[in-house]
Amino acid sequence: MSRAGKIARRTFLIGSAAIAGGVAFGVYMAKKPIPNPLLDDLKDGEAAITPFVKIDAEGITLITPRADKGQGAYSIQAYLIAEELDIDPATAMITPGMPGQAYYNASVLSEGVPFPAYQDGFVAETLRDFMSVPAKLFSIQMTGGSSTVPDGFDRMRLAGATARETLKEAAARRVGVARGDLRTENGAVILPDGTSIAYTDLAAEAAEIDPVTDVTLRPASAWRYLGKPDLPRLDMLRKCTGTEVYGIDMEFQDMLHATVRANPAVGTAGARVDASAAEGMRGVEKILPVSNGVGVIANNTWRAFQAAEALEIEWSAPDYPGTSEGIFATLEQALGDPDSYDHRQRNEGDVDAALEAGEVIEARYRIPYLAHAPMEPMNAVVRVLDAQVEIWTGTQIPLFIRDRAATIAGVEPEAVKVYVLPMGGSFGHRLEMTHVEQAVELALAVPGRHLKLTWSREEDMSHDYPRPASVAAGRGKVADGKVMAFDLSVSQSAMAPEWFGRLSGMSLPGPDATITTGSWDQPFDIPDYRVTGYRAPSMVPVSSWRSVGASGNGFYHDSFLDELIHAAGADPLAERIRLCLHEPARKVLEAVGEMSGWDGPSIAEGRGRGVGFCMSFGVPCAQVIEVTQTDEGIRIDQVYVAVDVGEVLDPTNLEAQVFGGVIFGLGHAMNCALTYENHAPLETNYHAYEGMRLYQAPQIEVRALSNGSRIRGVGEPGVPPAAPALANAIFAATGQRIRELPLNKHIDFV
Amino acid sequence: MKLTVNGTEHEVDVEPEMPLLWVLRDELNIKGPKYGCGIAQCGACTVHVDGMAVRSCQLPVGDLEGGVTTIEGLGTPERLHAVQAAWVAHQVAQCGYCQSGQIMQAAALLDLNPEPSDAEIDAVMSGNLCRCGTYPRIRAAIHDAAQKLSEA
Amino acid sequence: MQKSVVILAAVSIAGAALAEGALTLPEEGSISRADGQAAFERIYEVVTHPRCANCHVGEDNIPMWSGPSYGEARPHGMHINAGESRIGAEFLPCQTCHVTSDDFDTAPHAAPRFGIAWQLAPVEFEWFGKSRAEICAQLKDPERNGGRDWRGLVEHLEHDASLNGPVAWGWSPGGDRDPAPRTLEEHVEDMALWGAAGQPCPTD
């Protein structure tokens, strides 16, 4: 571990800005007892056994703090608790609860450590666990980074087990038998004589005793729910009957409806507004300035939209380039520029020496800004009362919202209640809170009234905080049919520090790992191997997009690797397997080979297959995609996916998440980009940002392996390999090597 | 202005150009039909008007002729329509936001074409956007629902 | 100028219909061949304009898109196929999105609509991508124009426009779409001029 010293210093800078004042502070903060937010709301007779379970005479409530944006977090968290608590979760109340610091998310930052996820050595593991300290410090009750399952796997089961044993202890004391002689079943403690006492009946007594914490988790072989096929999602019935209440569906008596138009140059203030046409429109109650824009308050969402449309607004311009052309020129300029150097987390062998002479293979790549564009546009309901602010919204960051709303409204954070609602998708969009800030600003003008702010689709797409655009250059060398040298440079505006700064007001010093996440950390052994990140100036404000850094780096790394393998004359799959140094990763590559009947990239005239691989969030994922060139364009026929998440807790949902990841990755790779003119994207609705439609969806076959060491989430890892696998398949079918996304700039799709 | 939704007649005082979607959502508090794009690009607002699928974001309420059925009127959690039952059986929904529209479109499809081929499903269902990528299960669920309906 | 023989109803508001029979038709043969050819040239510009040609497509039954910002015409998104019925009956009825309304004013990129059921023109009326000669031959061929002589074509335009159908919509398409060239009235007039001139086709 010769790199440990150098890297470790950087680690503390990357993940832990607030530690600038000293690690001791961090340890002190992290060791402080974490306030239990449930205690605030507890009524007499209720027992708060852990922050994840609440029981009273009315019933059992499971608190699932990781928000559900479609990935199944709601369901799996409930099953994790129920597995140990011995209840049927379908009979329980399930709620995301109020945001509180007890819900810190330790796993989301742990992939920020400077060890590739395939290294499970002592130092790497220790550092990864240490990262939970800054997570606590930052009070991140955050959903993201495919972290719900890894973060909750032990904690939520322990919560269930602790609750169960404590209830048994309460029963034991009541009837005077040993706890060991009791068992539990379906929400009740069963006495030796077979009579049962419902948990709800024991709640008050359980509150009186110290919780039983010396519990042992059940082995996988004893699970009733987890790992079982056909585990029904607990929200499925609601979602198929139109009865799920998303944020946008919240309704209150006498509620006002609002919308905004803010500067499409996101974050840029200053505008001249002529509201004369809008002011007299039916149902319009108020037209008010909000940060960077104008808000309309009306008595119906459509009327608010119509009035907002009627506003004549002249926006002021920021000082970064206003066009995609100018933006890409800026990115190109930073690429390889020593003054823009950000980090180099992989540097093996001597790349400079290796590439000094002989035939060097070079390629340049670029990817566009991408909107998250979830189906449910951003919205929030806010009511401002005398000393309190209430917020109902679908969000991944309730604590940041609480603190920001408190600042805007001039109240203590404790006076802000954030009710987290199911989300109609997010893909990272709900890691932002501009819409909530605007809603609070508007609600302050109508105290006592509920105000629902809804962004139009156009407002949503032009204020999306997109996935960063970036450019990359690959240089490499092959010899004797093998890839010998691989040098990749990536240039991107900083993403993580910008995002974190927006949310917290704190600066995150040190390099921005997201510039190369997904390329520096791949489990390959290439003799001369280097990945360098360059930081371009900040331009369009950017954010996390499903699979974050790996969404672009997966394309760069695997596309260039494919080019080198082709130049070496080697088989794309066999050479990846030969280079792979991580057992679970090699196994997923071998699996897709077997699933696809791989016998080389060519299938027939005009038909080809490509392999794509990326390890992200600790999950190796390999895909083989088969395409056909038709008269109407490229048709994607079949996708084979193998993925290793350690332990599969919900096979049905795992398949759904992989389907979704592949379709998300392919759809955007085919035809999506945000193109900027006058600092605003031209694509403001789905007509210009189609993604994949049902007729284009290929057959997808998924195999989940379990050779990895730590349990991982699968919401994102299906995304990164899809784009390179598709581009590699197109090369196999047509001989055309496409190095820019979206691919339809260069080739048609059916 | 009067309109009938899920068998119940309602009186609303709105301008005739207001899209049916916003009459349903903001005036009648019927929240199953969703706003996704406002321009007939996503299908999340799909309802039936006299049994035909219609994007309610496109229909000025003044031009409404016929009874409206929303997802709430298609079936309920206690009494699922065959399409809804197939959706549950196949665990189709992820975020679920587009699924009201997908289900309404699929129900209209099966009404017109009880045994659709894959190509026919592709032709009908490609106007309904799903950003989560539930398409493979939508296809499977429609075939399943078609079979259940033909057995009924 | 022959236009003086033509009296048009004053029609200028979007969606307002051209009154049927408002036009006094010129005598057959009263228009010179050159004026007739010039009129056809203007007719050709209209019928090959995206507002008209995008739904006058061939037997693949796939309408075209070229609204604001699409650039060149492209096949209708969402895998749309209107079927042999040309109203989408086999698959997804056009009216699922293109509702029937006399109010043409939609948001940009929303589904355009007019006062009759949205549909593709009959397949034999194919204009998209067709040459002057092909379209001219089709327009004057009763087998392929709905069994109409030139007076019938004028009546057809007037009748469709009176229903707020596609003929009226083409010049008031809403949603920031480019309208067809010139005006509806001029187009009707040109049809009359071309007819009265004996429906001359381009020589090339």
Side-chain angles (χ1 to χ4, degrees), chain C residues 123-184:
Chain C
V123 68
E124 55 277 18
F125 299 12
E126 181 179 359
W127 294 339
F128 190 90
K130 292 292 178 186
S131 69
R132 283 173 175 74
E134 287 169 319
I135 291 175
C136 190
Q138 177 267 319
L139 279 178
K140 58 198 266 188
D141 178 2
E143 297 285 312
R144 293 187 290 145
N145 76 1
R148 297 177 173 111
D149 63 8
W150 68 271
R151 289 184 179 84
L153 290 177
V154 173
E155 271 167 39
H156 163 66
L157 292 175
E158 290 177 322
H159 178 68
D160 185 284
S162 76
L163 301 174
N164 279 326
V167 171
W169 173 86
W171 281 272
S172 311
D176 294 346
R177 296 176 187 85
D178 286 334
R182 291 176 289 278
T183 65
L184 165 61

Side-chain angles (χ1 to χ4, degrees), chain B residues 17-21 37-41 45 54-61 63, chain C residues 95-101 103 106-107 109-113 177:
Chain B
E17 59 269 28
M18 185 181 287
L20 174 62
L21 172 66
C37 71
I39 60 167
Q41 283 287 332
C45 66
V54 171
R55 307 286 185 251
S56 64
C57 75
Q58 294 299 292
L59 183 62
V61 69
D63 289 301
Chain C
Q95 291 183 80
T96 302
C97 302
H98 300 272
V99 302
T100 301
S101 174
D103 175 5
T106 66
H109 304 291
R113 61 194 179 210
R177 296 176 187 85

Side-chain angles (χ1 to χ4, degrees), chain A residues 246 249 251 301 303 652, chain B residues 15 26 31 34 94-95 137:
Chain A
Y246 300 88
D249 299 327
E251 184 72 30
T301 308
R303 291 184 182 128
T652 306
Chain B
E15 42 279 58
D26 283 7
K31 296 293 206 296
K34 302 298 188 211
Q94 291 187 29
C95 89
R137 289 188 179 174

Side-chain angles (χ1 to χ4, degrees), chain A residues 473-562:
Chain A
R475 299 171 72 236
K477 213 165 183 180
V478 299
D480 306 325
K482 293 173 181 167
V483 175
M484 300 303 293
F486 182 110
D487 183 23
L488 186 74
S489 304
V490 182
S491 164
Q492 178 198 295
S493 301
M495 192 281 279
E498 224 181 63
W499 168 76
F500 194 73
R502 255 197 318 275
L503 264 52
S504 67
M506 287 189 255
S507 67
L508 202 58
D512 178 14
T514 70
I515 298 172
T516 60
T517 303
S519 60
W520 79 271
D521 50 0
Q522 296 307 296
F524 294 110
D525 185 12
I526 301 171
D528 299 296
Y529 194 4
R530 185 167 76 179
V531 177
T532 313
Y534 293 90
R535 188 190 294 212
S538 290
M539 293 183 279
V540 175
V542 289
S543 186
S544 292
W545 185 91
R546 192 175 187 176
S547 80
V548 201
S551 76
N553 280 289
F555 176 67
Y556 293 150
H557 188 278
D558 201 70
S559 291
F560 188 55
L561 185 58
D562 204 68

